Amino acid sequence: MAFGVAFGLEANVAFGVALGMMFGMALGMVVFRVAVGVEGSVAFGVAFGVVWILGVLRVYFWLPELLWILTLFLLSPNEKRVNCLRYLPPRFDELIILPLPFMDVMIVEAYGKNPNVALETINYLITSTNQQKVAAQAISGIAVDILNRCQRFSDIVEIANQLAWIPLLAPKELGTVLPQFLDISQNVRASQEATSLYRQYELLNVPITALRQLVQSIALTKDARVAVSFGNTAQSWLTILETAQRTLNEQAQQSKEIPQVYIAGNSLDPETAKNRFKGRIDIFREIESLTLSEQMPVLLLYGGRRTGKTSALKYLPYRIQANIVPLLVDIQGVAAATTLKGLAENLAQQIIEAARRLPRKVFLPNPDANKLAEDPFPALQTWFAEIERSNFGKKFLLCLDEYERLGEVVKATSSRAPLNFIRNLLQHQRKWILLFSGSHELSELDDYWSDYLINTRALRMTYLHELEARDLIQQPVENFSDIYEPTAVDEIIQLTRCQPYLVQLVCYEVVELLNRDIRRNRREADTAKATAQDVQEVIPIVLERGDQYFRELWKSLTDSDVYDGLRLRSLLRRIIYGETPTPQDKGVIRKLTRKEILTPEGNAFQVPLVQKYIEQLLEEE
């Protein structure tokens, strides 16, 4: 039976194609006869041109295909249309020039009956035909139906799963709105996985902010289809998430546990960390002053690991004048490229994305892909100049985080083209300011760096001031409860020497300790306060959780020179075992002081927690 139906369909298609060809020939004859009544050669040329254009547009095939799609759509019942997807015109003609109606409608209707068949058809259209626009319209139609059905918070969470089949690199015809909905759903799901009610409440700020921006952009769009399809959905989602966030806030306030507000780990993001970033006013003031000077130097922001360099760069757009546009680029990601072309492409992409993440978004043009492939860095120079011209009155502060990784590219490619590009940028692009951020001074790098980074102004990122550290401990967020005895705060200051990562880590573990005791009814929730003894109790956990930080610090002693590193480690061992440094140790002491491990006198560690870790390490050895 199926064979008979298929045979009948194919016979009809063959008949339609033949009919189309006959129609084309007849049309050609008509045009030719008309031409006989006009000037012979000219008329013949016009007639031939018309017939040729119709052939290029494949009108002779399109007409029977149009009749066929109309037959499928109008004569097949809605519930049977899923069976018609295998007979759509692109199945037997992969190159259809002129548009055919109803194909996207049929795929959307089929998805409700049999998602697998509909998705297989979409995938076929994207990968095997030139019908990407039809596929995008079908994807959009399916997505709009699903998005509009979201009535609860849990529905929004599930969207990321339900529409996970939409390709990350979807057809460009799909537009930018639908992918934003998917990102929002994924962020909502991530907030739900947070370990406390307060963190769930906080993490909802990201999707709520994104939705507010999306609502505004949809309201301003000139695309009526986008406004109709997504406008009400965005507003509905925003209402649902704002209601959920208020509920979470009320539940968090009623909870007996202390909200876990400390973040010990990756750099702080202004959207989620809010006011947790403390201090560094002197750094921001220095950067702003230097960027406004007539002779702008190269800025070098350096300091030990986890001192807050990347966090400071992320907060920079909120602390600097509007005519300065900070663009944060992670060189560790850029340097993953193995070719100069790949490096240039990664750099350009990160700059574009950084501009879009700014509080006031800046939309930069894309560089010329052909020129970038042909000669990457001259193409980037041209692109930078174009950005200058299209943003009159602005200066661009290009912040290269983990800048030392460029040395890996120089070694991998045996080319200093990236550094030559940087020098050219410094000399000729007056509206571009360079800021390098890393854990090494220039004197610690290969000699060739000094040829490229001339007139460098170094800014050191070190410990927080004591008042800033106390503020971080006692008021990490607004309206945070007073949970510390004064002696506990003093103990944290003493153990961490106001190192921001260690302050966050110790406070995090103290809150975890208090909450464990509250859950076990060992302390009253309303009166629980941390003591100096509690701070001492969490030290073993702090050393365990901060193992990567401490181990990196220990390993960094031998990064530049193994022999020199052994001397540094040897002195630390001797100090821990109670020996007094000798005059011959002065050079080693100076290096360990610059690395913020020893005091200038050389007889004590700057950070007691670092000493405790090294003592533990030596015991294990």
Side-chain angles (χ1 to χ4, degrees), residues 465-486:
H465 298 304
E466 183 173 327
L467 288 178
E468 296 167 350
R470 288 183 180 274
D471 188 29
L472 175 58
I473 294 167
Q474 296 175 288
Q475 285 295 315
V477 294
E478 293 180 4
N479 303 318
F480 188 67
S481 302
D482 181 13
I483 65 167
Y484 297 98
E485 296 285 351

Side-chain angles (χ1 to χ4, degrees), residues 266 435 594:
N266 296 329
L435 185 153
R594 285 203 304 269

